[in-house]
C-alpha cells in the first residue's frame, strides 16, 4: 500500500496575501467548496486576527465545508489564538496553525530575543492552543535558514507541548533541493515523534529561486507527509509550491509510492476558477495547467504524438480535467448547458443570477463563435463591478496608422453623466487621457497587461492594471472583445477602489 501525502492548501491565506488577489467572503467560499471537491485535506482559510474580513471569512468557510480540516493562522500570541478559536467555532474539523521565526536572523532582528526564549514562546503558544483544539500545527518560520540542531530542539519541544504537525517552511525560498532534503532527513532522524508517527512533518516552500516544487518533493522523499501548496502556485513574492505540480509529479512517479487524495480531474477547473477570481493570469507555459502545457507545435513532436501520444506526453490532459473535445458553448446553447458548465467549473448559481449570466452569455456569443471556460468564468464574475460608483457609459475611438488617436468618452459618476475627449499616441493612451480629463487625480499607470483568453481574433481581451494613487497601488481588471474598452474598464476598476 502506498503512503499518503496530506495536502494542505493555503491558497486562501498565503495565496491571498498577494496584492491585488484579495477575495471577498462569497468568492472565498466558492474557492473553499471547490477545494473540498478537489479533495484537499486541509484548507488554510485565513489569518483571523489580521482583519475583520479574514475573521468573517474563516467563520463562513468553516460553515461551508464538511470534510476538510479548516485551519486558521496565528502568531505565537495568545490574543491571535483566542481570535482563531472564535473564528473556527463552526468548523467540523479545525486546526490552529501557530508559530514563530526560528532562524538567527529572525530571532535577532525581528524579535530581539534569544534561542531559548523563542523555544519558551513557541511552547507556550502550542500549549495555549491545545487548550482549545486537539489539532495544533506549529510553524518554524524561516526554517530553511535555521540551524538544524536548534530546529530539532524547537520541534522536539513543541511536539512535547502538544503540536500534532510541525511545519518546516522555506519562507524565503532560499534552499536548494539537496540542502532541504538533508534538513528534513535530519529532523526525521533526530525527532522521535516523526518516526513514531506521533507528529507529522510538513513542508511549506516558496519559489523565490524557482525551486518550490523541487524542494517540496525533496522534502517528501526525505519523509515529510504533509505538503503546503497553493493553486497555480500563487503566493507572496514569487509564490508558493503549486498543488497541481506536486500532485501530478507523485501521480507520474509511481515508484515513489506516495499518493494524495486529490481528484486530479478537477485540477484544471480549480486552476481556472482561482485565476479568474483572483485576477491572476496563469502563464501559458505553466506546468500542468498552462495553456501550452499540452500543446505540441514542433513538427517532430506532432509526428511522434500522432504515432503514440506517450512519445512526448507524460500525462493525459484528461487526467487533469482538460478535455479538448468537451462541448464548447455557442449562441445556440441553452440555459441548462450553461448551468451545467458553470457547475463543472465550481459555480452554482441560483435562478436570478443565472439569468443575468445567461443574458451576458448570449450577448458575448453574438460577438464570438465559441464561448470558452474562461469566458464563462469572466461572465460569472462580471458582477464584481456592480458596486462601482464610476462606470463607463460609452467610448468611441478613432485610430489608424499615421494618425493621432482621438477618444471620446462618457462616464457615469454616481448617476451623473460626464463627457470628455482627448488625443493620445495610440487608442488606449487617448482613452485614458480622456478619462483623466474627467477624473482629475494624480494617478500613474504602473503595470498594464493584455491577454487574449484563448485563440481567435474575435476573442475576449483581459486587461490587468496597477495604478498608483496617493502612495498606494490599486489593481484593476477589465474584459471585453474590444481591448481599448477592456483597458479603460480596468483603469476604472482601479479608480473605484481608491481609498476616499
Ligand atoms: O512562509 C512561511 O513561513 C509562512 C508561515 C506563516 C507558515 O507562510
Ligand atoms: Zn508562506
Amino acid at each position: 500500500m502506498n503512503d499518503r501525502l496530506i495536502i494542505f492548501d493555503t491558497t486562501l491565506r498565503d495565496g491571498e496575501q498577494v496584492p491585488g488577489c484579495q477575495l471577498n467572503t462569497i468568492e472565498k467560499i466558492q474557492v473553499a467548496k471547490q477545494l473540498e471537491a478537489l479533495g484537499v485535506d486541509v484548507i488554510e482559510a485565513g489569518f483571523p486576527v489580521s482583519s475583520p474580513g479574514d475573521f468573517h471569512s474563516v467563520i463562513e468557510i468553516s460553515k461551508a465545508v464538511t470534510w476538510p480540516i479548516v485551519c486558521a493562522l496565528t502568531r505565537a500570541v495568545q490574543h491571535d489564538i483566542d481570535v482563531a478559536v472564535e473564528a473556527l467555532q463552526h468548523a467540523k474539523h479545525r486546526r490552529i496553525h501557530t508559530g514563530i521565526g526560528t532562524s538567527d536572523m529572525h530571532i535577532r532582528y525581528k524579535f530581539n530575543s534569544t534561542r531559548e526564549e523563542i523555544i519558551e514562546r513557541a511552547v507556550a503558544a502550542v500549549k495555549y492552543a491545545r487548550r482549545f483544539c486537539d489539532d495544533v500545527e506549529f510553524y518554524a518560520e524561516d526554517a530553511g535558514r535555521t540551524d538544524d540542531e536548534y530546529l530539532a530542539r524547537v520541534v522536539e519541544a513543541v511536539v512535547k507541548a502538544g503540536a500534532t504537525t510541525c511545519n518546516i517552511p522555506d519562507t524565503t525560498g532560499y534552499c536548494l533541493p539537496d540542502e532541504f532534503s538533508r534538513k528534513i532527513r535530519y529532523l526525521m532522524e533526530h525527532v522521535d515523534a516523526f518516526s513514531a508517527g506521533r507528529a507529522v512533518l510538513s513542508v511549506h516552500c516558496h519559489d523565490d529561486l524557482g525551486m518550490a516544487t523541487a524542494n517540496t518533493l525533496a522534502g517528501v522523499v526525505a519523509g515529510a507527509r504533509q505538503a503546503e501548496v497553493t493553486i497555480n502556485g500563487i503566493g507572496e513574492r514569487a509564490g508558493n509550491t503549486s498543488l497541481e505540480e506536486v500532485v501530478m509529479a507523485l501521480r507520474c512517479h509511481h515508484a515513489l509510492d506516495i499518493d494524495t487524495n486529490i481528484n486530479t480531474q478537477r485540477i484544471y477547473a480549480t486552476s481556472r476558477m482561482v485565476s479568474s477570481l483572483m485576477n491572476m493570469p496563469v502563464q501559458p507555459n505553466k506546468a500542468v495547467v498552462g495553456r501550452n502545457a499540452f500543446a505540441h507545435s514542433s513538427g517532430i513532436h506532432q509526428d511522434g504524438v500522432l504515432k503514440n501520444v506517450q512519445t512526448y506526453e507524460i500525462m493525459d490532459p484528461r487526467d487533469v480535467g482538460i478535455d479538448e473535445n468537451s462541448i464548447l458553448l455557442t449562441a445556440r446553447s441553452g440555459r441548462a448547458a450553461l448551468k451545467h458548465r458553470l457547475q463543472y467549473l465550481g459555480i452554482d448559481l441560483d435562478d436570478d443570477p443565472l439569468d443575468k449570466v445567461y443574458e451576458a452569455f448570449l450577448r458575448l456569443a453574438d460577438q464570438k463563435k465559441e464561448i470558452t471556460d474562461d469566458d464563462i468564468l469572466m461572465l460569472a464574475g462580471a458582477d464584481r463591478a456592480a458596486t462601482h460608483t464610476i462606470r463607463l457609459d460609452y467610448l468611441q475611438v478613432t485610430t489608424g496608422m499615421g494618425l493621432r488617436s482621438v477618444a471620446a468618452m462618457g462616464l457615469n459618476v454616481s448617476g451623473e453623466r460626464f463627457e470628455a475627449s482627448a488625443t493620445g499616441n495610440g487608442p488606449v493612451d487617448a482613452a485614458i487621457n480622456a478619462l483623466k480629463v474627467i477624473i482629475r487625480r494624480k494617478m500613474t499607470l504602473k503595470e498594464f497587461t493584455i491577454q487574449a483568453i484563448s485563440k481567435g481574433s474575435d476573442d475576449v481581451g483581459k486587461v490587468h492594471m496597477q495604478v498608483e494613487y496617493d502612495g498606494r497601488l490599486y489593481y484593476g481588471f477589465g474584459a471585453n472583445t474590444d481591448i481599448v474598452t477592456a483597458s479603460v474598464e480596468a483603469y476604472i476598476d482601479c479608480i473605484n477602489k481608491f481609498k476616499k
Side-chain angles (χ1 to χ4, degrees):
M1 212 194 67
N2 55 25
D3 260 11
R4 196 153 88 74
L5 179 70
I6 299 166
I7 295 293
F8 175 114
D9 183 279
T10 184
T11 306
L12 294 173
R13 200 277 299 169
D14 227 346
E16 217 247 347
Q17 275 170 223
V18 179
C21 283
Q22 278 66 38
L23 301 179
N24 62 36
T25 302
I26 294 169
E27 291 164 339
K28 284 187 190 174
I29 292 172
Q30 207 175 315
V31 173
K33 285 186 162 173
Q34 180 72 9
L35 292 173
E36 179 172 38
L38 181 66
V40 310
D41 302 284
V42 187
I43 295 176
E44 187 161 50
F47 181 13
V49 84
S50 68
S51 71
D54 247 39
F55 176 76
H56 183 62
S57 297
V58 175
I59 293 192
E60 295 306 319
I61 291 168
S62 298
K63 291 182 192 162
V65 301
T66 307
W67 302 113
I69 295 169
V70 181
C71 174
L73 186 80
T74 82
R75 292 165 299 181
V77 170
Q78 285 198 357
H79 176 64
D80 284 25
I81 297 170
D82 291 336
V83 176
V85 171
E86 205 186 327
L88 290 170
Q89 60 185 300
H90 299 289
K92 284 83 180 171
H93 313 279
R94 73 201 63 171
R95 174 178 297 184
I96 293 174
H97 189 190
T98 190
I100 196 161
T102 53
S103 65
D104 287 335
M105 191 95 76
H106 278 225
I107 295 174
R108 183 153 170 220
Y109 296 109
K110 192 166 154 187
F111 301 111
N112 188 21
S113 184
T114 61
R115 285 185 171 190
E116 295 316 311
E117 206 177 277
I118 290 295
I119 296 190
E120 279 168 27
R121 286 169 72 171
V123 165
V126 170
K127 280 193 178 154
Y128 189 69
R130 274 303 299 256
R131 282 165 52 179
F132 310 100
C133 187
D134 289 341
D135 187 345
V136 173
E137 173 168 339
F138 173 80
Y139 64 87
E141 196 178 6
D142 205 16
R145 293 187 300 172
T146 300
D147 167 60
D148 289 350
E149 186 271 332
Y150 174 63
L151 189 57
R153 282 208 290 132
V154 175
V155 168
E156 191 92 61
V158 295
V159 170
K160 206 160 146 230
T164 40
T165 302
C166 284
N167 176 10
I168 306 301
D170 183 21
T171 305
T172 57
Y174 168 78
C175 289
L176 298 172
D178 185 38
E179 196 181 358
F180 197 63
S181 159
R182 268 186 275 119
K183 186 176 286 290
I184 300 304
R185 217 175 282 284
Y186 181 90
L187 294 172
M188 291 300 296
E189 283 165 6
H190 289 81
V191 180
D192 290 343
F194 293 141
S195 42
R198 279 183 282 116
V200 174
L201 196 161
S202 181
V203 285
H204 173 123
C205 299
H206 281 266
D207 208 29
D208 299 65
L209 292 172
M211 278 180 282
T213 300
N215 283 341
T216 296
L217 290 169
V220 170
V221 171
R225 284 298 171 267
Q226 176 175 286
E228 309 202 356
V229 293
T230 61
I231 302 295
N232 301 334
I234 63 163
E236 289 240 70
R237 308 181 309 279
N240 287 61
T241 308
S242 86
L243 178 146
E244 58 277 8
E245 292 173 16
V246 171
V247 168
M248 291 316 290
L250 293 177
R251 281 286 153 90
C252 289
H253 289 267
H254 302 285
L256 293 175
D257 219 15
I258 302 172
D259 206 358
T260 68
N261 196 34
I262 297 298
N263 175 356
T264 62
Q265 290 183 351
R266 295 215 178 230
I267 284 179
Y268 187 66
T270 312
S271 160
R272 300 313 316 148
M273 176 193 274
V274 167
S275 164
S276 156
L277 289 178
M278 291 192 159
N279 291 334
M280 192 68 161
V282 174
Q283 72 198 58
N285 59 331
K286 165 81 181 64
V288 184
V289 290
R291 195 174 62 234
N292 296 347
F294 296 96
H296 299 274
S297 53
S298 93
I300 296 175
H301 280 206
Q302 285 174 347
D303 181 52
V305 167
L306 287 173
K307 286 176 178 145
N308 180 340
V309 68
Q310 286 176 357
T311 47
Y312 285 101
E313 263 183 25
I314 57 168
M315 293 173 264
D316 185 334
R318 284 168 302 188
D319 288 346
V320 296
I322 300 175
D323 187 353
E324 288 294 328
N325 300 321
S326 70
I327 304 156
L328 283 165
L329 300 183
T330 67
R332 277 186 291 281
S333 304
R335 206 170 159 281
L338 176 68
K339 186 178 168 79
H340 182 263
R341 198 67 199 161
L342 279 163
Q343 276 168 343
Y344 170 78
L345 294 168
I347 299 171
D348 230 334
L349 293 183
D350 291 337
D351 284 352
D352 279 356
L354 179 66
D355 283 345
K356 284 208 183 94
V357 175
Y358 188 57
E359 276 168 31
F361 163 81
L362 290 177
R363 276 197 300 274
L364 182 62
D366 266 350
Q367 293 168 33
K368 61 181 295 214
K369 279 201 296 286
E370 289 171 341
I371 306 290
T372 65
D373 288 349
D374 278 312
D375 294 330
I376 293 171
L377 285 164
M378 184 265 298
L379 293 174
D383 66 343
R384 271 180 282 169
T387 55
H388 282 181
T389 50
I390 302 174
R391 290 155 182 274
L392 183 63
D393 264 355
Y394 70 83
L395 174 67
Q396 188 181 34
V397 184
T398 313
T399 192
M401 212 184 85
L403 292 175
R404 191 155 167 82
S405 304
V406 185
M409 168 185 299
L411 277 193
N412 180 318
V413 182
S414 304
E416 208 180 326
R417 160 76 70 86
F418 292 85
E419 295 178 305
S421 58
T423 61
N425 66 7
V428 174
D429 190 42
I432 289 175
N433 287 342
L435 178 66
K436 285 179 167 172
V437 172
I438 304 174
I439 309 289
R440 293 178 175 277
R441 302 210 191 172
K442 214 170 166 324
M443 323 176 265
T444 317
L445 181 57
K446 288 287 183 189
E447 200 180 294
F448 176 29
T449 32
I450 302 185
Q451 212 186 27
I453 288 179
S454 52
K455 293 157 195 152
S457 57
D458 63 349
D459 207 351
V460 174
K462 292 209 282 187
V463 174
H464 295 263
M465 268 188 189
Q466 283 180 32
V467 171
E468 191 180 63
Y469 168 65
D470 206 14
R472 291 184 57 155
L473 275 181
Y474 294 87
Y475 295 78
F477 175 73
N480 202 294
T481 46
D482 176 332
I483 54 169
V484 185
T485 303
S487 307
V488 173
E489 281 174 349
Y491 210 109
I492 292 175
D493 191 27
C494 294
I495 296 174
N496 275 290
K497 293 174 184 164
F498 287 177
K499 292 267 174 291
K500 308 286 175 313

